[in-house]
Amino acid sequence: MKKLKKITQLLLSGVMVIGIYPFTESTSQAAVTSFKDVPTSHWAKASINEAVAKGYFKGYSDGTFKPGATVTRAEFAVLLARVAKGTPETTQASVFKDLNGH
């Protein structure tokens, strides 16, 4: 399980570094949220902003993004669904029991 978490973190970091560019043809130019835990000097700020603008990430309700946090299985499943242009609600219901509320 620990190895899976490391792989997930590495994969997510890689996705953020490349800016998730080729997954969509057009980028939404929606206003980018300013997260209180992502300073302008953060190494991944541009990638985070682009991913948020595309709708892949939304951040947490307390106004944070938590760029150094471990990604949970549920969060990763939601990310994959968003990148695939679907949402967990429109995919097969009850496949992952721990996705309720995410």
Side-chain angles (χ1 to χ4, degrees):
M1 187 65 162
K2 197 171 196 174
K3 187 175 182 178
L4 180 61
K5 284 184 181 180
K6 287 245 185 223
I7 291 170
T8 302
Q9 282 181 316
L10 181 62
L11 178 63
L12 184 60
S13 295
V15 167
M16 289 177 63
V17 168
I18 64 169
I20 315 173
Y21 174 70
F23 293 113
T24 62
E25 293 179 13
S26 64
T27 303
S28 168
Q29 295 301 322
V32 175
T33 304
S34 179
F35 298 105
K36 56 186 171 186
D37 62 341
V38 182
T40 56
S41 61
H42 192 278
W43 67 270
K45 181 154 178 72
S47 296
I48 290 169
N49 288 344
E50 186 173 345
V52 169
K54 290 179 180 181
Y56 299 147
F57 296 98
K58 296 183 181 183
Y60 293 89
S61 61
D62 63 354
T64 61
F65 187 80
K66 301 179 184 179
T70 301
V71 177
T72 66
R73 182 172 170 257
E75 290 168 337
F76 189 69
V78 170
L79 172 63
L80 289 178
R82 287 180 184 154
V83 170
K85 297 289 187 191
T87 61
E89 295 81 22
T90 61
T91 57
Q92 274 186 336
S94 302
V95 174
F96 299 111
K97 303 292 185 200
D98 59 345
L99 289 182
N100 294 336
H102 290 278

